[in-house]
Amino acid sequence: MHTASELAAALRQLRAGRAYKELAVAAEPGKLPMSTISDLLTKGRCTEETLELYLRACQVPRTEEAAWLAARQRALTTVFDGLDGLIRVRQSVPRRLGVHSSIDVPGATGDLPAYIERDIDTDVRALIRTAARQGGMILLVGSSSAGKTRSAYEAVQAELPDWWLLSPHDAGHIAQAAAASPARLVMWLDELPQHHMPALTATVHHLIAVGTVLVATLRPERYIAYTTPPPTGQDDPYARERELLALAEVIYVGDHFSPAEQARARRTADAGDARIAAALESADFGLTQVIAAAPQLIRRWNSADPYAAAVLNAAIDAIRLGVRSPLSAELLRAAAPGYCDRRQRAAAPPNWFEAALAYATARINGAAAALAPVAPSAHTDQMGQFHGYTVADYLQQHAGSRRRWSVVPESLWQTLITHVTDPDDRRGIAEQASHRLLYCFAEPLWATLADGGDPRAARLLAVLLRERGDGAGLQARADAGDVHAARLLAELLRERGDAAGLQARADTGEIHAARLLTMVLRERGDADQLQARANDVYAAQHLAELLRERGDAAGLEARADTGDTDAAQHLAELLQERGDAAGLEARADTGDTDAAQHLAELLQERGDADQLQARADTGDTDAAQHLAELLQERGDADQLQARADTGEIHAARLLVKLLRERGDADQLQARANAGEIHAARLLVELLRERGDADQLQARADTGDVYATWHLAELLRERRDAAGLQARADAENVYAGWHLAELLRERGDADQLQARADTGDSHAARLLAELLRERADAAGLQARADTGDTDAARLLAELLRERGDADELQGRADTGDVYAVQHLAKLLRERADAAGLQARADTGDTDAAQHLAELLRERGDADQLLARTVMGDFYAARSLVDALKVSGRAEEAERVRVFGLPVPEHQIRSPFASDSLSRLGSNPAVQGRPQDAPESV
């Protein structure tokens, strides 16, 4: 039973002809009215107590009640019409959720092998239970075929079998689910980047708020790339992804089984599971990878003939360039020739593509194919619908990593531009082209995205055009309504000093041009032209500034009298500088607020209390404020008191400030008791200075938060740990904070540890700092291993100081982002380019960034170019500077403006160096796996 109607029908059968009155009496007199029974049997919705009473009346055995109560829980979950794809968790099929098919071996039964309990399962299931109570997101981070999806699947099956489950086909489907907000929903987000992460943060916030359990998976190299912040002042391409991941509880899934997991697997194999037994025989791959046919996939890739290799590498490269949609056969056919040399293209048989596709799509041991056909994700209920091909996850991870630094041929770039239509895919491809400085490919992609309404694409395209000084291109886009292009075109014209061009655009109403035109006129001192354009707000501002600089009071007054507020402000400043009180008063009396303000300032400077009083009594708030300040300067508490008693807020504030300076606690107390917050705060400061703990305690007991804070601070100063402890135990957070600070000053690690273990985050942070100060790596490691991020950060700093690259490497390999960062910094300090390159080539963005900086400082443009053409974003950013350092300024400018030429010509132009010639002989540049046989 899964619905209320099904439950109602089952309960009616259970009734077995009994009358409502008979059931009501049998349950418990007065507790099960006949109207309630009627609702129960027609609607199927009731409280747990009502169902228990009904079951008792029907004489259902106690041992069967749990099943009925579970059925009620399922029925209470609303099914939302129009939200397709909802199924019960217990009805879900693991293959459709991303669990890999298993190898087929003699004696194997069922679709999947028995599940081997993982060491992480206890934590995963605890997080699932917590999220079920309050909403939450659980993220499993691990390599392809490491078992993260299977572990998540088994967890939700065990903990939430009766909840609804939705495996969305795109970001729109997720938004639709958020709008419906069905209760008791598991949102399944296998391979999180496929769901357009930058657009998900607000939606996920909402889903968590309404109690949804989100389960997601992600590969470690992506997690590190997304969560590592860029250096200060640099672009942050993954800011939105990092914001999304911050919402998740993260569990790391190892590539290989632990000894305990191996032992459990051995017992399962001994019990007769043929797949597990076969997997345990492999020494080269992890158990989960063998079950998913990973070794056979790698061999399939390495053993391909030139044409199958071309098709597979084109697909692998397309995905690593950002394509997430299935790849069409037409795309693969058009892209593949660029992966073959001239001889191979000439010798290709007529059916080369069909044979290559057959090889790539053949299933291996019944588990997986290197290239698998997929149906349209938005029509999961339609059979036989073909949408395209996707690469097996493990092969993509392995081969994509091996081809990370392979040059992508022009044929694939051109094919992607013409065949890929999904905006998210085109955005990813454009990003990758930009990272390689391939503006010839990035520009048309950004253009189509911009024309489709993508503001970021419009901005990046405008920047490209601006860099090359393409005024005509910017003009065309600006005339089509592109505000980014309009702004940058105006800047270009401004840079060129083209006032006529700016004026022509300003006259069409283009605000950026109008603003920059007035700046040009202002710099030239052209008051006449500014006057002629004075209806333009920017011109009016700059004209007023120019007249102010010239001291032209008459000119400013003439403009102020026409309603020009900028001129009125500058005129008032000028009159105040001249000490012209009469002039200011005359303008103030006409309602000029700027003149009134500057007149009040002038009268205060002169100490003219009488004039300020006279103006304040007429309702001039500026005069009232400056009069109060003058009275405070003179120490005239009586006059301030008189004005404060009339309700003048500024006078009241300055009065209590004066009382504080005099140490008049009684007057402050009186005003505080009257409800003046400012008086209360200053009274507490005075009591704190005097060390009056009793008075502070008295005020704290009335709920005064200022007193509570200052009392804790005073106790800390007195080193009264017992007093702070007593208040902290009473859940006084301020006392807890200061107690931790005191323990830190004393170096009391044991007490800090005790408080940290109770959940005191401030104590935990200070404990980590103390251990760091003591250089206690073991202590920091123990805390870091429990999830203390402060300890992990400071441990990484300590290891870097010690130069312990091996320990940093070990922690980095477990996913410790602080270790990753500090290992890269250590290698950078050592100028270890080889070490940085080794880490950068595994996807470490910190290492890539430091390597690029090191190469730039050395002026090693050739190495930076080699890395740029292979997709290193940081190398691309450093290439132009390195060319300048090496004395190649002309080449640097050409690259800055036009980017790099298409891949086939990158080894000859714009540079012709020996190192680049050697690059051309590298098999990675030719698009072949470096460890593959020559036939590939």
Side-chain angles (χ1 to χ4, degrees):
M1 293 172 282
H2 294 281
T3 66
S5 59
E6 290 173 348
L7 178 61
L11 291 172
R12 288 196 296 271
Q13 287 185 340
L14 199 61
R15 175 186 172 192
R18 297 182 182 89
Y20 284 5
K21 185 174 182 180
E22 179 185 352
L23 291 169
V25 172
E28 192 171 333
K31 287 199 172 182
L32 189 63
M34 289 187 287
S35 59
T36 301
I37 297 174
S38 176
D39 285 345
L40 174 62
L41 299 184
T42 55
K43 299 177 182 177
R45 293 183 175 277
C46 62
T47 65
E48 189 171 302
E49 181 184 8
T50 296
L51 179 58
E52 288 176 342
L53 288 169
Y54 181 80
L55 295 174
R56 194 176 308 156
C58 294
Q59 300 179 346
V60 173
R62 289 277 186 179
T63 56
E64 297 178 12
E65 283 188 5
W68 285 98
L69 292 172
R72 169 188 168 273
Q73 290 289 349
R74 292 193 297 273
L76 287 179
T77 304
T78 304
V79 181
F80 284 78
D81 294 334
L83 184 57
D84 64 305
L86 276 180
I87 57 171
R88 295 287 182 184
V89 168
R90 68 169 67 252
Q91 296 172 319
S92 60
V93 178
R95 283 287 295 117
R96 295 180 183 174
L97 298 181
V99 176
H100 293 294
S101 294
S102 300
I103 55 173
D104 190 12
V105 298
T109 59
D111 292 335
L112 296 174
Y115 180 63
I116 307 300
E117 180 186 344
R118 305 296 298 269
D119 296 342
I120 61 167
D121 284 352
T122 300
D123 291 337
V124 173
R125 298 181 187 197
L127 290 173
I128 293 284
R129 290 192 296 272
T130 300
R133 293 192 298 270
Q134 62 193 32
M137 180 177 178
I138 298 92
L139 175 68
L140 282 77
V141 176
S143 301
S144 176
S145 302
K148 55 187 183 294
T149 306
R150 181 74 186 273
S151 178
Y153 169 78
E154 297 292 342
V156 295
Q157 285 286 346
E159 300 297 334
L160 309 174
D162 297 320
W163 280 45
W164 291 108
L165 182 141
L166 181 67
S167 178
H169 48 69
D170 56 26
H173 200 188
I174 299 173
Q176 184 184 9
S181 296
R184 298 159 59 85
L185 173 68
V186 175
M187 178 71 72
W188 192 265
L189 302 174
D190 192 45
E191 292 298 334
L192 189 56
Q194 295 180 1
H195 300 282
H196 190 34
M197 292 173 63
L200 286 184
T201 304
T203 305
V204 169
H205 264 296
H206 171 76
L207 287 167
I208 292 174
V210 299
T212 303
V213 175
L214 297 101
V215 179
T217 65
L218 187 65
R219 295 180 188 173
E221 65 273 13
R222 290 187 179 275
Y223 182 77
I224 291 173
Y226 293 153
T227 55
T228 303
T232 303
Q234 294 191 9
D235 290 341
D236 191 352
Y238 298 126
R240 289 183 290 179
E241 285 86 349
R242 189 162 54 257
E243 184 181 356
L244 172 63
L245 294 178
L247 302 176
E249 297 289 343
V250 180
I251 296 286
Y252 293 93
V253 183
D255 288 352
H256 299 280
F257 272 28
S258 69
E261 291 168 338
Q262 288 278 357
R264 291 193 286 270
R266 177 58 63 190
R267 289 194 293 271
T268 303
D270 292 344
D273 193 301
R275 292 188 181 94
I276 300 296
L280 286 171
E281 294 175 3
S282 172
D284 297 327
F285 292 83
L287 184 145
T288 54
Q289 288 87 352
V290 174
I291 288 174
Q296 294 90 335
L297 286 169
I298 302 308
R299 284 196 293 271
R300 194 78 170 170
W301 178 58
N302 282 333
S303 303
D305 67 23
Y307 311 110
V311 169
L312 283 171
N313 286 336
I316 290 164
D317 284 352
I319 292 172
R320 70 185 182 93
L321 290 181
V323 179
R324 297 291 173 262
S325 303
L327 305 166
S328 69
E330 292 77 13
L331 184 153
L332 295 173
R333 182 191 293 271
Y339 290 82
C340 298
D341 60 31
R342 294 170 61 188
R343 293 179 183 177
Q344 290 165 344
R345 289 198 293 271
N351 67 336
W352 70 269
F353 180 70
E354 290 73 18
L357 199 59
Y359 177 90
T361 56
R363 291 180 68 81
I364 303 170
N365 289 351
L371 203 61
V374 293
S377 59
H379 302 287
T380 55
D381 57 338
Q382 296 184 16
M383 305 297 290
Q385 297 288 318
F386 173 72
H387 189 46
Y389 298 93
T390 188
V391 180
D393 286 347
Y394 190 84
L395 177 59
Q396 180 64 44
Q397 179 175 320
H398 174 87
S401 176
R402 299 305 298 269
R403 293 185 56 76
R404 179 187 298 276
W405 304 116
S406 299
V407 174
V408 178
E410 180 181 10
S411 65
L412 180 60
W413 289 111
Q414 296 288 9
T415 302
L416 293 177
I417 290 172
T418 56
H419 285 70
V420 173
T421 58
D422 181 83
D424 290 338
D425 289 347
R426 292 182 71 86
R427 194 175 293 111
I429 300 164
E431 293 275 9
Q432 290 296 323
S434 297
H435 290 176
R436 291 164 171 79
L437 304 183
L438 295 175
Y439 300 153
C440 55
F441 300 134
E443 189 172 322
L445 289 164
W446 290 132
T448 55
L449 288 166
D451 292 342
D454 185 329
R456 183 168 179 270
R459 179 175 62 81
L460 292 173
L461 175 59
V463 169
L464 281 179
L465 297 172
R466 170 72 174 84
E467 284 293 318
R468 69 176 56 164
D470 187 352
L474 287 170
Q475 174 92 45
R477 294 204 60 81
D479 290 345
D482 186 330
V483 294
H484 301 287
R487 179 175 57 81
L488 294 181
L489 174 59
E491 290 178 5
L492 181 61
L493 295 172
R494 165 83 172 83
E495 189 178 283
R496 293 174 175 175
D498 187 352
L502 284 170
Q503 181 158 344
R505 292 203 57 76
D507 290 344
T508 66
E510 209 281 288
I511 58 173
H512 300 293
R515 179 174 58 83
L516 295 179
L517 172 61
T518 58
M519 289 175 64
V520 171
L521 297 174
R522 167 79 174 75
E523 289 166 2
R524 292 178 177 177
D526 194 339
D528 293 338
Q529 282 295 320
L530 286 171
Q531 179 74 50
R533 299 191 60 83
N535 287 335
D536 179 329
V537 62
Y538 301 111
Q541 291 171 358
H542 285 288
L543 176 58
E545 290 174 6
L546 182 59
L547 295 174
R548 170 76 174 80
E549 272 183 17
R550 293 176 174 178
D552 187 350
L556 285 169
E557 185 163 0
R559 291 208 52 77
D561 290 345
T562 65
D564 185 332
T565 55
D566 291 294
Q569 177 185 340
H570 285 292
L571 174 59
E573 291 173 1
L574 182 59
L575 294 174
Q576 182 186 355
E577 277 182 14
R578 293 177 174 178
D580 188 350
L584 283 169
E585 185 166 6
R587 294 199 61 80
D589 291 343
T590 66
D592 186 328
T593 55
D594 291 300
Q597 176 189 339
H598 285 279
L599 174 60
E601 290 177 7
L602 180 59
L603 293 174
Q604 183 185 350
E605 289 169 8
R606 292 177 173 179
D608 193 341
D610 293 337
Q611 281 294 320
L612 284 170
Q613 176 85 49
R615 294 197 63 80
D617 290 346
T618 65
D620 185 330
T621 55
D622 290 295
Q625 177 179 332
H626 286 282
L627 173 60
E629 291 174 4
L630 181 59
L631 294 173
Q632 190 223 353
E633 288 171 10
R634 293 177 174 178
D636 192 340
D638 293 338
Q639 284 294 320
L640 278 172
Q641 174 85 48
R643 297 199 65 79
D645 290 344
T646 66
E648 190 181 304
I649 296 174
H650 196 61
R653 185 174 63 81
L654 294 179
L655 172 61
V656 297
K657 185 178 179 182
L658 182 59
L659 295 173
R660 166 74 175 83
E661 290 169 359
R662 291 178 173 179
D664 192 340
D666 293 337
Q667 284 293 322
L668 283 172
Q669 177 89 45
R671 298 195 72 83
N673 291 343
E676 282 193 26
I677 296 175
H678 195 56
R681 182 170 62 81
L682 294 182
L683 171 62
V684 166
E685 288 180 6
L686 182 59
L687 295 173
R688 164 76 178 76
E689 275 183 14
R690 292 178 174 177
D692 193 338
D694 293 337
Q695 283 295 318
L696 285 172
Q697 180 69 59
R699 292 200 62 80
D701 291 342
T702 66
D704 186 327
V705 293
Y706 300 113
T708 304
W709 169 260
H710 282 285
L711 175 60
E713 196 173 49
L714 179 61
L715 293 173
R716 176 187 161 197
E717 244 180 45
R718 293 178 174 178
R719 309 186 74 74
D720 184 355
L724 286 170
Q725 181 78 52
R727 287 165 176 78
D729 291 344
E731 299 187 356
N732 183 323
V733 293
Y734 303 119
W737 195 92
H738 282 287
L739 174 59
E741 292 283 338
L742 178 57
L743 295 172
R744 168 74 175 83
E745 290 166 9
R746 290 179 171 179
D748 192 339
D750 293 337
Q751 284 296 317
L752 281 172
Q753 176 83 50
R755 292 200 61 79
D757 290 344
T758 65
D760 185 330
S761 59
H762 189 57
R765 182 176 64 79
L766 295 179
L767 173 60
E769 290 177 2
L770 180 60
L771 295 172
R772 170 72 175 86
E773 194 176 279
R774 294 175 174 177
D776 185 351
L780 284 170
Q781 181 159 343
R783 291 205 56 78
D785 291 344
T786 66
D788 185 329
T789 56
D790 289 301
R793 173 175 56 82
L794 295 174
L795 173 60
E797 285 182 9
L798 178 59
L799 294 173
R800 176 184 157 209
E801 272 185 17
R802 292 178 172 178
D804 193 343
D806 292 337
E807 188 64 30
L808 282 170
Q809 176 80 52
R811 294 196 64 80
D813 290 344
T814 66
D816 184 328
V817 295
Y818 302 108
V820 170
Q821 293 167 0
H822 284 281
L823 176 57
K825 289 178 181 178
L826 178 60
L827 295 172
R828 173 72 177 83
E829 289 164 3
R830 294 176 173 177
D832 185 353
L836 286 169
Q837 180 161 338
R839 288 204 56 80
D841 289 351
T842 65
D844 183 335
T845 55
D846 288 284
Q849 179 186 333
H850 285 291
L851 174 60
E853 291 173 359
L854 180 60
L855 295 174
R856 182 192 65 208
E857 288 176 9
R858 292 177 174 178
D860 194 342
D862 294 340
Q863 281 297 319
L864 285 169
L865 174 63
R867 295 189 68 82
T868 297
V869 300
M870 296 173 186
D872 186 329
F873 167 69
Y874 298 102
R877 291 175 51 169
S878 299
L879 177 58
V880 170
D881 286 343
L883 287 167
K884 292 177 181 177
V885 169
S886 60
R888 297 151 75 174
E890 184 178 339
E891 295 169 356
E893 182 62 13
R894 192 158 60 244
V895 171
R896 185 188 70 80
V897 173
F898 297 105
L900 295 175
V902 295
E904 279 74 6
H905 304 111
Q906 280 170 335
I907 61 171
R908 297 193 299 274
S909 167
F911 319 113
S913 67
D914 291 340
S915 63
L916 292 177
S917 298
R918 289 195 298 272
L919 177 64
S921 64
N922 187 327
V925 176
Q926 304 303 323
R928 178 171 60 82
Q930 295 187 38
D931 60 338
E934 287 299 325
S935 62
V936 179

